[in-house]
Amino acid sequence: MSKSDNERNIEHYKFHHIDVEKCKNCSDFFCEDKCFRHIYKVENKESEPKCVLVPGREGFCIKCHICTTVCRFKAIRID
Ligand code: SF4
Ligand code: SF4
């Protein structure tokens, strides 16, 4: 996969960037479980999982990087 293909899979929020292609292989959904600020929600857990930000909650992030650490696919980037 080329760099540009990778870039197309990334969903950009204000300062979170999620490679949702990687979420398709996920089964533990630690982003949703471990973020104590409840910033993430994983949709379609039973079929094609996809991590999204809960509307209105991005600003509650304190950049502790628990989420980037626990996501074993390294799907999350935070600026
Ligand atoms: S962000 Fe990481 S932990 Fe969350 S669903 Fe995607 S791959 Fe899984
Ligand atoms: S950096 Fe911390 S507060 Fe921000 S989304 Fe990740 S786990 Fe939640």
Side-chain angles (χ1 to χ4, degrees), residues 21-63:
E21 187 66 25
K22 292 179 176 172
C23 298
K24 290 179 182 174
N25 300 310
C26 191
S27 56
D28 48 33
F29 317 126
F30 284 151
C31 55
E32 188 180 272
D33 277 357
K34 306 293 184 192
C35 174
F36 56 93
R37 290 289 176 121
H38 308 296
I39 283 162
Y40 301 105
K41 176 163 180 42
V42 182
E43 297 179 337
N44 302 324
K45 288 190 179 106
E46 304 304 320
S47 52
E48 201 170 82
K50 178 184 171 183
C51 173
V52 301
L53 260 62
V54 177
R57 290 210 60 84
E58 186 172 26
F60 291 96
C61 175
I62 59 162
K63 301 193 178 183

